[in-house]
Amino acid sequence: MLQDWVAANKEQVHGLVLISSFLSRASISTGFPVPTFTVAGELDGLCRVTRVAEAYYHLHVDPLPDVSPADFPVAVVEGMNHFGPASGSPPLLVRARDLRSEITESEAHSALASLLSNFVTVSVSGDKPAAMALTETMSSTDEFMAPIVKAFVVEGSTRIKPPCNCQTDVCDPHVDCLAGSP
């Protein structure tokens, strides 16, 4: 897997871009060593935005102590599906499972070009206008992800934190486990 290769060869890699993908649970839990930009489509029928939201939670809402959220920006392209970053005719699996895009191929490509340009520019030179644009993107992503993350917490998702397994009906919040719905 690419993430494993990047982690093993971190001296040769300055950054990773994941489009219609996400950092694996193993990569996040071990502290992925390379800045990574995750770009998700809101209407991705194969790499669901809710799975990207789980990775977002562990990188931004409750990151490991050594993780800097600024090194792991996440962007959601509203209206884009899984095949949005590509062109031509989608493979059979994508055709069968992807959701309909609400934006054109050209709009998806333009949005991706802008996002990727900002990430690469910031990674290479620290350019302030590109950094400001990336910050705006993250702010928009924070807004988009907030209700999804809240739903994970309210439902007591074990993908966020393990349950507290309290002996009473009501648990006090705790940093190592999730109190709330069983």
Side-chain angles (χ1 to χ4, degrees):
M1 188 153 101
L2 179 61
Q3 292 174 40
D4 296 332
W5 185 90
V6 169
N9 296 279
K10 61 186 173 212
E11 303 82 27
Q12 301 174 47
V13 181
H14 296 287
L16 176 64
V17 174
L18 300 171
I19 301 173
S20 297
S21 186
F22 46 82
L23 279 175
S24 69
R25 292 177 182 112
S27 292
I28 292 171
S29 68
T30 57
F32 197 67
V34 175
T36 302
F37 187 30
T38 301
V39 182
E42 172 194 25
L43 300 175
D44 192 323
L46 283 84
C47 173
R48 298 294 172 117
V49 75
T50 49
R51 177 58 183 87
V52 175
E54 177 192 327
Y56 167 87
Y57 176 88
H58 292 293
L59 295 167
H60 289 268
V61 178
D62 189 20
L64 292 171
D66 295 342
V67 172
S68 169
D71 288 338
F72 297 93
V74 177
V76 176
V77 179
E78 293 192 30
M80 186 177 81
N81 65 1
H82 188 79
F83 198 70
S87 59
S89 190
L92 183 61
L93 179 71
V94 175
R95 229 181 336 203
R97 296 189 179 166
D98 206 359
L99 302 176
R100 263 183 226 265
S101 183
E102 292 178 347
I103 61 175
T104 66
E105 178 182 301
S106 178
E107 290 169 324
H109 290 183
S110 179
L112 289 168
S114 176
L115 292 167
L116 299 179
S117 172
N118 288 331
F119 176 70
V120 171
T121 302
V122 168
S123 298
V124 172
S125 70
D127 181 72
K128 287 193 190 246
M132 287 175 52
L134 207 50
T135 299
E136 284 179 32
T137 297
M138 281 309 305
S139 192
S140 174
T141 299
D142 293 343
E143 264 183 56
F144 183 91
M145 293 294 190
I148 299 171
V149 167
K150 184 174 183 178
F152 286 157
V153 172
V154 169
E155 79 172 359
S157 174
T158 58
R159 293 297 186 186
I160 298 300
K161 288 184 181 180
C164 290
N165 292 324
C166 301
Q167 301 303 314
T168 62
D169 289 341
V170 179
C171 290
D172 292 324
H174 193 274
V175 293
D176 295 329
C177 60
L178 201 57
S181 297

